[in-house]
Amino acid sequence: MINRMTASTATDPGLEELYERLDTAAQLLAAGYSSFQERAGIVQRLCSGEITTQQARDEDRGE
């Protein structure tokens, strides 16, 4: 049996942030409020680290 590292067992704090960004990106792409093209732009900026997960959610909602 292979013991896989997960975000909850990783010791690197950056992994938790990466997991949160990827999870938010997937949620936005699957079911966001803005158009798909707008969401894709938000996700691109989110994954590049330009904006936080909260900023991405706010932008998607038009806030």
Side-chain angles (χ1 to χ4, degrees):
M1 180 176 192
I2 298 173
N3 290 329
R4 294 178 47 181
M5 183 171 34
T6 65
S8 63
T9 61
T11 56
D12 184 355
L15 287 177
E16 187 67 36
E17 182 181 341
L18 175 62
Y19 175 80
E20 184 178 344
R21 285 182 183 272
L22 293 175
D23 184 52
T24 300
Q27 289 175 16
L28 286 175
L29 287 175
Y33 293 94
S34 58
S35 73
F36 182 77
Q37 289 176 331
E38 289 174 307
R39 290 192 318 259
I42 292 169
V43 166
Q44 180 181 12
R45 293 178 30 240
L46 172 64
C47 290
S48 70
E50 292 178 35
I51 59 176
T52 66
T53 55
Q54 187 58 51
Q55 289 171 320
R57 289 183 190 109
D58 291 345
E59 283 189 30
D60 180 53
R61 291 185 188 110
E63 297 175 3

